[in-house]
């Protein structure tokens, strides 16, 4: 099994890159996001690899980070999702964005990925809601609050503050991040007005 490739970029295709390792070219399938972050032809590259072995083929999937590879595996634990759809999701959403969307039960955000309809997005959100926090990456600090909002169990002031900020045109994720930051300054007992004021300050930075 291949776990990592270190070589040079030979060619970048629509859905794959050919990595030259000591004269041997490996075809590695990647998400659109990973492909867009690759260096140019002839430059050094390192990709973490997930190897799929079937009776009739061996296929390599490449990732820039270990977290992205974990999400690739995690997405395929959802019924009806294979490698192609998992890569499609990761091409649109970073691991942190995906964890946030699942925590907030933001089906519209997940369904932005090509090939992911509302029904598939609902399955991703429902089946991964308890697993997402462990793979939140940069969103680790706010994922708990977002889960409470997604499940409708957040306190009244928090819910009201997030709602007020979204009514001003901010996304639910931006609003939740701002309120989470406001809570650190104001404390758990802060009312909605204070959270909104501090949240707006945070968003204006």
């Amino acid at each position: 099994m291949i776990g990592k490739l270190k070589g040079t970029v030979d060619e970048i295709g629509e859905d794959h890159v050919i990595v030259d390792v000591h004269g041997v070219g490996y075809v590695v399938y990647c998400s659109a996001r990973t492909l867009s972050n690759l260096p140019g032809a002839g430059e050094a590259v390192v990709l973490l690899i997930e190897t799929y072995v079937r009776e009739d083929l061996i296929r390599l999937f490449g990732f820039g980070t270990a977290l992205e590879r974990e999400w690739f595996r995690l997405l395929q634990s959802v019924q009806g999702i294979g490698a192609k759809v998992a890569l499609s999701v990761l091409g649109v959403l970073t691991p942190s964005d995906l964890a946030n969307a699942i925590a907030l039960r933001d089906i519209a955000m997940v369904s932005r990925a090509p090939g992911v309809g509302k029904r598939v997005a609902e399955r991703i959100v429902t089946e991964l809601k308890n697993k997402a926090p462990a793979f939140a990456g940069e969103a680790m600090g706010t994922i708990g609050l977002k889960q409470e909002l997604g499940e409708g169990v957040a306190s009244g002031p928090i819910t009201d503050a997030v709602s007020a900020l979204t009514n001003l045109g901010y996304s639910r994720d931006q609003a939740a991040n701002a309120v989470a930051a406001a809570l650190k300054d104001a404390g758990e007992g802060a009312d909605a007005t204070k959270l909104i004021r501090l949240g707006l300050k945070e968003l204006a930075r």
Side-chain angles (χ1 to χ4, degrees), residues 75 78-79 81 85 89 98 101-102 105-113 115-128:
L75 284 164
V78 176
Q79 181 188 356
I81 291 186
V85 171
V89 172
L98 186 52
I102 290 170
R105 300 189 64 79
D106 192 342
I107 290 163
M109 176 73 80
V110 179
S111 62
R112 282 171 47 199
V116 178
K118 185 180 177 185
R119 189 172 296 178
V120 172
E122 283 176 347
R123 279 208 303 272
I124 290 172
V125 166
T126 301
E127 294 185 31
L128 298 184

Side-chain angles (χ1 to χ4, degrees), residues 7-179:
T8 56
V9 175
D10 186 76
E11 176 188 316
I12 298 176
E14 190 175 321
D15 61 354
H16 68 278
V17 58
I18 297 177
V19 180
D20 186 317
V21 182
H22 302 303
V24 178
Y26 293 87
V27 178
V28 184
Y29 293 88
C30 304
S31 71
R33 184 181 299 277
T34 299
L35 288 172
S36 69
N37 288 330
L38 290 175
E43 295 189 45
V45 66
V46 178
L47 287 173
L48 299 174
I49 301 295
E50 184 78 355
T51 307
Y52 277 25
V53 180
R54 300 285 186 266
E55 285 184 13
D56 55 345
L57 87 159
I58 297 173
R59 182 162 285 194
L60 307 179
F61 297 93
F63 309 92
T65 66
L67 189 60
E68 188 187 13
R69 182 169 62 180
E70 287 301 325
W71 270 105
F72 178 71
R73 294 167 177 165
L74 198 59
L75 284 164
Q76 289 178 88
S77 70
V78 176
Q79 181 188 356
I81 291 186
K84 186 176 181 181
V85 171
L87 283 183
S88 177
V89 172
L90 291 169
V92 173
L93 299 171
T94 66
S96 295
D97 289 339
L98 186 52
N100 284 334
I102 290 170
L104 289 166
R105 300 189 64 79
D106 192 342
I107 290 163
M109 176 73 80
V110 179
S111 62
R112 282 171 47 199
V116 178
K118 185 180 177 185
R119 189 172 296 178
V120 172
E122 283 176 347
R123 279 208 303 272
I124 290 172
V125 166
T126 301
E127 294 185 31
L128 298 184
K129 66 179 181 180
N130 294 325
K131 298 176 182 177
F135 302 96
E138 297 169 2
M140 191 66 78
T142 57
I143 201 76
L145 174 70
K146 289 170 184 175
Q147 277 197 305
E148 290 179 2
L149 286 164
E151 293 167 10
V153 295
S155 70
I158 290 173
T159 303
D160 292 345
V162 170
S163 177
L165 293 176
T166 54
N167 287 340
L168 291 173
Y170 295 102
S171 72
R172 201 148 178 250
D173 186 45
Q174 288 175 312
N177 285 337
V179 171

